[in-house]
Amino acid sequence: LKENLSVGIRINGGVNQANNGTIEKYCYNNDTTNCTTYGGLYQWAEAAQYKNGATDSISPNPPFTGNIQGICPTGWHIPTNAEFQTLATTVGSNGNSLKVVGQGTGTGAGTNTSSFSALLVGESNYYIGFLDFRRYTYFWSSTEAGTFNAFDLSLSYSNSNIGFSAPGKADCGSSVRCVNDLSVSSLLPVELNLFTAVHNERTIQLN
């Protein structure tokens, strides 16, 4: 997908998202127009939809393997940390190529040559509130980094780095992108001919 997910109903920042059969999201500054423009922000377990009993303080049992759909549409999944690493390699570790033009400044100015179209929406932090708007953006992976943490990918307004870290699963409400289950590449759109699939033993481009 070329944009952040914004599925679910909005709840206020500082309230934990819950396993209650309803997808819940934060909108930056509790403003629904920010969800329209920048997408929703999700705690990790909400993004993964509590698969295999996963919560923000309990690891899935059995551990995640393969594609984790979570809140993604049918036929799509939350990228793994390995898929994010592949994305970084594909763009030569140039984070500016992932950011929309007008996002970032100086050596961090977005070029969007990948058409990934990242927006610097910041995050919802359980302890601090909303922060880092137009400064950073964070994307969850489906890959745990221990019981209480999960890997993410981040981009900054001030440089071209692609960051990888492992924040607390409950601490942060972050953005979510999805990968097509048929993709043998990564997260970049078909304009770069990088979304391909194997069908009837033939390699095809996904449209």
Side-chain angles (χ1 to χ4, degrees):
L1 290 179
K2 293 171 59 179
E3 59 186 26
N4 298 343
L5 284 184
S6 187
V7 63
I9 64 167
R10 186 191 70 79
I11 64 171
N12 287 334
V15 178
N16 281 318
Q17 295 166 353
N19 184 10
N20 56 11
T22 299
I23 298 174
E24 297 171 332
K25 64 184 177 183
Y26 306 124
C27 298
Y28 196 91
N29 273 349
N30 296 320
D31 185 342
T32 56
T33 61
N34 283 328
C35 272
T36 300
T37 302
Y38 296 97
L41 301 169
Y42 303 88
Q43 291 175 310
W44 183 82
E46 186 75 13
Q49 279 298 280
Y50 309 95
K51 184 177 174 66
N52 295 354
T55 73
D56 290 322
S57 59
I58 299 173
S59 293
N61 186 19
F64 286 166
T65 58
N67 296 336
I68 303 302
Q69 178 182 345
I71 61 173
C72 293
T74 300
W76 297 76
H77 65 272
I78 298 171
T80 63
N81 186 52
E83 286 174 313
F84 273 146
Q85 297 283 345
T86 298
L87 171 64
T89 299
T90 301
V91 299
S93 298
N94 179 10
N96 291 341
S97 70
L98 301 176
K99 290 177 275 189
V100 167
V101 173
Q103 298 285 290
T105 185
T107 58
T111 63
N112 207 31
T113 54
S114 69
S115 296
F116 186 78
S117 302
L119 297 168
L120 303 178
V121 62
E123 67 173 338
S124 173
N125 184 285
Y126 182 77
Y127 300 101
I128 302 173
F130 296 98
L131 69 161
D132 289 338
F133 186 70
R134 295 189 67 84
R135 291 173 57 87
Y136 296 93
T137 190
Y138 309 87
F139 299 97
W140 281 126
S141 80
S142 62
T143 306
E144 275 197 309
T147 301
F148 299 99
N149 302 78
F151 290 105
D152 70 0
L153 177 150
S154 63
L155 301 170
S156 168
Y157 77 103
S158 63
N159 59 60
S160 63
N161 296 342
I162 298 176
F164 294 94
S165 61
K169 296 188 292 187
D171 297 344
C172 302
S174 298
S175 299
V176 173
R177 290 288 181 100
C178 301
V179 185
N180 194 294
D181 291 346
L182 297 179
S183 175
V184 295
S185 182
S186 104
L187 294 161
L188 298 179
V190 296
E191 284 86 343
L192 295 183
N193 298 319
L194 290 174
F195 262 6
T196 58
V198 176
H199 178 66
N200 292 336
E201 299 182 353
R202 294 187 300 111
T203 300
I204 61 173
Q205 180 177 323
L206 298 177
N207 295 307

